[in-house]
């Protein structure tokens, strides 16, 4: 990985982390095309720079992080499923992180779901207009269920934000509330994933050199700035327009990736 690779991946992370299009999937695609996907540092980089994106949430919603202990307990409850399954499936997840084909299939399946999700949960938005507080309360049971939905994102291409937002909507939250809770849940989830990835990296005998440390710092700064813009734009668009455009985007990208994968595979077997 060189400096340009790091900048490109950081911009992709900042744009896609909070959109229901899979930031990990996009970085796997990009790193595969840049021929750096299998490098241990690339895998570390794609996880660690998510911290920058997380800080964007903390800055934009800083008042929410000081409202009550109940808020933190609910985030903890929602975070627990990812901790357990993440530890159990760590090796499987690492293998999937090298598979553009897995990303393609996940993008397509998730795309079709997003095309229908606005219709499935239209009543959430209708009732919310009549009673603005009807679908904004998050119980501990709801938080836990959203946490299980988030675990679907361990499959690259699924989208952590997409899975947790849809999970919230199944619990009768409106789009805006479900999206914001998904953003908040990203904070402990990504901190945990980063700590685990750094631990595994050093346990495997790797060390960070000065260039790599600089790439991580730069990547986090870029991801932070880009995420600030992306979060504001996404919440505004989602509240007004819904998920369909993201569904179409996922399907087109997934099909294109699927075709490219098999075209390259056919060339290598000639």
């Amino acid at each position: 990985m060189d400096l340009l690779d790091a900048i490109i991946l950081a911009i992709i992370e900042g744009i896609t982390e909070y959109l229901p299009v899979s930031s990990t999937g996009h970085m796997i695609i990009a790193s595969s095309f840049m021929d750096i996907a299998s490098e241990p540092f690339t895998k570390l980089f794609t996880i660690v720079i998510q911290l920058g994106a997380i800080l964007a949430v903390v800055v934009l919603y800083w008042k929410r992080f000081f409202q009550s202990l109940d808020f933190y307990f609910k985030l903890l409850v929602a975070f627990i499923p990812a901790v357990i399954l993440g530890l159990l499936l760590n090796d499987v997840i690492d293998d999937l992180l090298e598979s553009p084909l897995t990303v393609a299939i996940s993008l397509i399946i998730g795309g079709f779901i997003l095309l229908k999700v606005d219709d499935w949960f239209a009543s959430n938005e209708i009732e919310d207009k009549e009673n603005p507080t009807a679908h904004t309360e998050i119980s501990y049971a709801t938080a836990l269920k959203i946490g299980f939905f988030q675990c679907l994102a361990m499959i690259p291409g699924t989208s952590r934000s997409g899975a947790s937002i849809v999970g919230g909507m199944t619990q009768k939250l409106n789009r805006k509330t479900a999206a914001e809770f998904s953003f908040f849940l990203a904070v402990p989830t990504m901190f945990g994933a980063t700590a685990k990835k750094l631990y595994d990296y050093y346990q495997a005998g790797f060390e960070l050199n000065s260039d790599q440390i600089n790439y991580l710092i730069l990547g986090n700064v870029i991801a932070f700035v880009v995420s600030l813009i992306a979060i504001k734009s996404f919440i505004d668009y989602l509240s007004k327009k819904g998920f369909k455009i993201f569904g179409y985007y996922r399907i087109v990208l997934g099909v294109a990736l699927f075709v490219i994968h098999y075209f390259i595979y056919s060339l290598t077997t000639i």
Side-chain angles (χ1 to χ4, degrees):
M1 175 185 285
D2 58 25
L3 179 60
L4 181 59
D5 295 332
I7 292 173
I8 292 173
L9 290 179
I11 292 173
I12 292 172
E13 163 61 23
I15 294 173
T16 61
E17 176 61 41
Y18 297 103
L19 303 183
V21 297
S22 178
S23 61
T24 301
H26 278 72
M27 287 192 284
I28 290 173
I29 294 170
S31 58
S32 294
F33 278 106
M34 291 186 287
D35 199 27
I36 57 173
S38 60
E39 295 179 8
F41 178 69
T42 300
K43 294 180 181 179
L44 177 70
F45 183 86
T46 58
I47 299 297
V48 173
I49 62 170
Q50 293 176 359
L51 287 176
I54 289 168
L55 289 177
V57 171
V58 176
V59 169
L60 288 174
Y61 293 94
W62 65 271
K63 289 183 180 179
R64 298 287 290 274
F65 286 90
F66 292 95
Q67 60 182 1
S68 68
L69 286 176
D70 187 59
F71 171 78
Y72 291 99
F73 289 144
K74 288 176 181 176
L75 287 183
L76 178 61
V77 167
F79 175 51
I80 289 173
V83 174
I84 296 173
L85 290 179
L87 292 173
L88 291 175
L89 301 176
N90 182 63
D91 292 338
V92 175
I93 295 168
D94 271 351
D95 290 339
L96 290 175
L97 286 174
E98 295 183 15
S99 175
L101 182 58
T102 300
V103 174
I105 295 172
S106 298
L107 284 170
I108 294 170
I109 293 173
F112 280 109
I113 291 174
L114 290 185
L115 289 182
K116 301 300 294 181
V117 74
D118 290 321
D119 296 330
W120 291 341
F121 305 110
S123 62
N124 294 11
E125 307 303 319
I126 294 172
E127 292 178 26
D128 181 62
K129 291 179 181 179
E130 299 173 354
N131 182 1
T133 63
H135 297 126
T136 59
E137 293 300 320
I138 298 176
S139 66
Y140 282 97
T142 294
L144 182 61
K145 291 172 184 176
I146 293 173
F148 278 112
F149 269 90
Q150 178 181 243
C151 292
L152 293 173
M154 292 177 182
I155 304 171
T158 300
S159 172
R160 188 207 61 80
S161 63
S164 52
I165 291 171
V166 172
M169 293 175 72
T170 67
Q171 303 306 303
K172 300 194 178 299
L173 299 180
N174 61 44
R175 287 191 297 249
K176 185 174 184 291
T177 302
E180 288 180 344
F181 188 78
S182 171
F183 298 166
F184 303 147
L185 182 53
V187 177
T189 302
M190 293 299 103
F191 267 111
T194 297
K196 180 65 168 60
K197 201 67 180 178
L198 283 169
Y199 175 80
D200 291 343
Y201 189 79
Y202 280 101
Q203 282 293 104
F206 299 110
E207 293 185 1
L208 294 171
N209 59 43
S210 58
D211 284 341
Q212 290 172 333
I213 292 173
N214 289 333
Y215 291 167
L216 288 174
I217 294 172
L218 177 64
N220 275 287
V221 171
I222 293 173
F224 169 75
V225 173
V226 176
S227 288
L228 285 174
I229 301 170
I231 292 171
K232 288 185 175 181
S233 301
F234 175 55
I235 284 292
D236 183 61
Y237 182 90
L238 184 65
S239 298
K240 297 175 181 177
K241 303 291 186 179
F243 289 97
K244 278 189 171 59
I245 191 173
F246 302 107
Y248 287 122
Y249 172 79
R250 288 178 65 107
I251 292 169
V252 170
L253 180 61
V255 170
L257 183 60
F258 196 82
V259 170
I260 291 170
H261 174 84
Y262 273 99
F263 177 72
I264 294 174
Y265 177 78
S266 63
L267 288 179
T268 58
T269 55
I270 294 176

